[in-house]
Amino acid sequence: MKYEGSIYRPPSEAYSLLIQVTTGCSHNKCTFCPLYKDKRFKIKSFQEIEEDIREAARYRSVGKVFLCDGDALIIPQKKLVPIFESINRNLRGVERIGLYGNAKSILRKTPDELVQLKNLGLKIVYLGVETGNSELLEKIRKGVTYSQLVEAGRKVKEAGILLSVTVLLGIGGVEKSMEHARDTARILSDIDPDYASALTLMMVPGTPIYDDFIQGKFVIPDQYGCLKEIGMILEQSNFTDCFFTSNHASNYLPVKARMPKEKEKVVRLIEEVIQKGQSSVLRSENMRAL
């Protein structure tokens, strides 16, 4: 398999076959993200991708496939469909294909195109929302608006594809912490995803937000401030049926909850940890990671 640069995938794709169909991220302007700064965005050639697929086919059957890098859905439909067809033709046992899709790339697809991909095996799309606060979306250079994020998320669901969204604790700093949490609960309610997960902001040198942090222009909430955010997000969100997690290595407190069934229980747990100052149950700083 010919991977270029570092490869990233969601925690739920830990045992998936990773096929790199693009390098980098088509947007790559978010102020908090260091992941794809080491490479230019490009779509790999079909020949190169199919060589990887055929190589993987020699070793084992594959249950799940994840298409890397940061936004595989940006690939034009006429180039993306043959990739799916090659996966189905060459790999045994594929039950699910997943990928990252940003809001702009989702909105570029027609409903029929998304359904076509679903019928070819696309079972889950991961959408980075980060925050529901419009001011923060602009400040972190997300490149999309609140309404575009909602429209994109709903479009995936309407195509019959599972939707997993991520939000970012701490991205509003201390100053905008509660506004961020409140508005993020609102956008999650409006999108109503099948899965939602919270990550916690990491200060990484080389990112614009890190520069603001060093200059004292941005103050990140402490561990209990981040817990207050996730507590408010969970308390104020209204889901139809969503599995919510904060099991990513960046988080201080792992949380898993079927929403809305387990809402009260998990909110009480978070409140208890905050009130009692139970730092022993929280992940230490030196154990946190991207």
Side-chain angles (χ1 to χ4, degrees):
M1 305 290 285
K2 298 175 290 298
Y3 298 118
E4 296 183 30
S6 300
I7 301 295
Y8 303 95
R9 46 85 185 153
S12 57
E13 301 289 345
Y15 301 104
S16 301
L17 170 66
L18 306 180
I19 299 175
Q20 191 179 36
V21 297
T22 71
T23 61
C25 172
S26 61
H27 179 62
N28 208 23
K29 296 176 182 176
C30 296
T31 63
F32 59 87
C33 181
L35 300 187
Y36 302 108
K37 304 304 182 188
D38 61 338
K39 47 189 170 182
R40 284 174 172 258
F41 174 78
K42 72 174 182 180
I43 299 171
K44 286 191 169 185
S45 70
F46 177 73
Q47 179 182 354
E48 189 174 9
I49 294 167
E50 188 163 54
E51 285 175 0
D52 283 347
I53 293 170
R54 288 178 175 174
E55 180 181 345
R58 295 201 297 265
Y59 298 105
R60 62 185 175 93
S61 62
V62 177
K64 296 194 297 183
V65 172
F66 184 76
L67 303 182
C68 310
D69 272 336
D71 182 22
L73 204 58
I74 197 69
I75 299 173
Q77 193 78 354
K78 66 180 181 180
K79 294 184 178 180
L80 190 54
V81 166
I83 296 171
F84 277 76
E85 291 174 337
S86 179
I87 290 170
N88 291 323
R89 184 170 59 249
N90 290 290
L91 298 178
R92 292 173 288 121
V94 175
E95 298 175 354
R96 186 180 93 174
I97 300 172
L99 48 71
Y100 288 124
N102 70 30
K104 284 184 175 179
S105 69
I106 292 168
L107 295 176
R108 286 178 179 175
K109 298 294 184 189
T110 68
D112 286 346
E113 286 176 335
L114 288 174
V115 170
Q116 182 183 26
L117 295 176
K118 182 240 182 182
N119 291 336
L120 287 169
L122 180 59
K123 295 297 192 293
I124 188 165
V125 170
Y126 298 85
L127 171 65
V129 169
E130 325 313 348
T131 181
N133 184 273
S134 294
E135 182 181 336
L136 286 175
L137 284 171
E138 185 173 348
K139 188 173 183 179
I140 65 176
R141 302 178 197 164
K142 186 65 182 173
V144 288
T145 64
Y146 183 107
S147 60
Q148 286 175 315
L149 285 165
V150 173
E151 182 183 357
R154 289 178 177 177
K155 192 172 185 179
V156 170
K157 291 194 66 181
E158 287 166 2
I161 301 168
L162 293 173
L163 177 68
S164 178
V165 306
T166 54
V167 298
L168 191 56
L169 305 178
I171 194 62
V174 170
E175 182 183 1
K176 294 282 187 181
S177 180
M178 291 297 97
E179 291 177 58
H180 160 56
R182 180 198 64 216
D183 293 338
T184 299
R186 183 166 60 94
I187 200 170
L188 288 175
S189 301
D190 286 345
I191 295 173
D192 197 18
D194 302 286
Y195 300 93
S197 60
L199 285 66
T200 301
L201 178 65
M202 300 284 290
M203 290 287 108
V204 181
T207 57
I209 203 167
Y210 178 84
D211 294 339
D212 287 346
F213 170 71
I214 292 298
Q215 294 169 22
K217 298 176 182 178
F218 180 86
V219 180
I220 189 170
D222 64 11
Q223 53 192 357
Y224 294 108
C226 289
L227 289 184
K228 288 178 182 177
E229 287 187 7
I230 194 172
M232 177 178 284
I233 290 169
L234 288 168
E235 184 177 25
Q236 296 193 10
S237 294
N238 294 301
F239 296 107
T240 300
D241 184 12
C242 176
F243 189 59
F244 190 102
T245 63
S246 65
N247 59 342
H248 188 268
S250 64
N251 292 313
Y252 292 106
L253 179 68
V255 168
K256 293 183 180 180
R258 174 62 64 180
M259 301 288 284
K261 182 180 178 181
E262 298 177 308
K263 175 191 280 195
E264 292 185 10
K265 180 179 74 173
V266 73
V267 169
R268 282 200 306 269
L269 168 66
I270 293 168
E271 289 176 347
E272 182 178 342
V273 172
I274 295 171
Q275 290 171 1
K276 294 183 177 180
Q278 296 176 316
S279 59
S280 61
V281 304
L282 303 180
R283 183 177 281 126
S284 61
E285 290 292 344
N286 64 347
M287 294 299 292
R288 294 174 65 223
L290 284 172

